Amino acid sequence: MKKIRIRFFNINLGPYSAEEQDVNINYHPSVFDRVLEAVSALMVIAGCIYLVANDGFENKDMLIGFLVNLLVCLLMFTSAYAPVQYIRFPVRISRQNIVKQYVMALRLTRIVNIFICLMLVFNALSINFPWANPAIGIAVTAMLLSIMVYYIFAIRNK
């Protein structure tokens, strides 16, 4: 009998998946992974405190934008704990490379989460400080650069 799986979201990094393989990876995040999560959580908290302390959500558009950014950050937090079946990889998956590719994909989600949280903080700062607007572009550029670096390492570690 074929398994029926309800999918809420996939991390789509490429065309290959590990669904056809019977693999159960129990990855426990390392200290480095926990530091990445703590940095992104601190940025979200700092952005929340700054927005509430300065504006108090007087503008409804600001509140909606803040809630959307917070939702995206929370989704990125949870995506770092996705099982291997929910990730599509840029290279073919075998028993030899699945663990390394899985760990690299999870670290990429944590790093992208840091840049998304950084954009949240710079977005909050851009209300009162004009220097924060170019910083949002720098954060987007750094996020795209980290994705490119991931693809290079993923292809090198086939």
Side-chain angles (χ1 to χ4, degrees):
M1 183 174 218
K2 190 174 180 174
K3 291 181 186 179
I4 298 175
R5 209 173 251 161
I6 298 173
R7 296 191 180 230
F8 294 104
F9 66 92
N10 282 337
I11 300 171
N12 194 359
L13 300 171
Y16 304 106
S17 69
E19 282 185 352
E20 57 273 352
Q21 297 181 13
D22 187 29
V23 177
N24 187 15
I25 299 174
N26 293 324
Y27 175 69
H28 300 288
S30 66
V31 173
F32 178 70
D33 295 326
R34 296 291 185 191
V35 167
L36 290 176
E37 289 175 352
V39 166
S40 59
L42 287 174
M43 281 193 255
V44 169
I45 292 168
C48 293
I49 290 171
Y50 182 79
L51 272 175
V52 171
N54 284 338
D55 282 340
F57 300 119
E58 295 168 359
N59 186 355
K60 288 195 182 225
D61 292 334
M62 178 58 69
L63 177 63
I64 291 171
F66 173 74
L67 291 176
V68 167
N69 284 336
L70 190 61
L71 179 67
V72 169
C73 288
L74 290 176
L75 284 174
M76 289 302 294
F77 275 128
T78 59
S79 67
Y81 294 96
V84 70
Q85 291 84 6
Y86 291 99
I87 301 175
R88 299 186 62 83
F89 299 97
V91 296
R92 287 197 190 274
I93 298 300
S94 65
R95 290 210 178 266
Q96 291 80 21
N97 70 351
I98 190 163
V99 174
K100 185 141 183 108
Q101 293 292 329
Y102 180 60
V103 170
M104 284 193 307
L106 292 183
R107 288 213 172 128
L108 174 69
T109 59
R110 287 181 173 99
I111 290 170
V112 167
N113 190 20
I114 287 175
F115 289 120
I116 288 174
C117 294
L118 195 61
M119 287 186 283
L120 170 70
V121 170
F122 286 142
N123 190 21
L125 288 173
S126 68
I127 298 167
N128 297 325
F129 302 106
W131 59 264
N133 287 325
I136 295 171
I138 293 170
V140 170
T141 305
M143 182 175 63
L144 293 174
L145 184 64
S146 67
I147 292 171
M148 285 190 275
V149 168
Y150 162 76
Y151 276 102
I152 291 169
F153 279 120
I155 291 170
R156 288 178 83 197
N157 293 314
K158 285 185 186 181

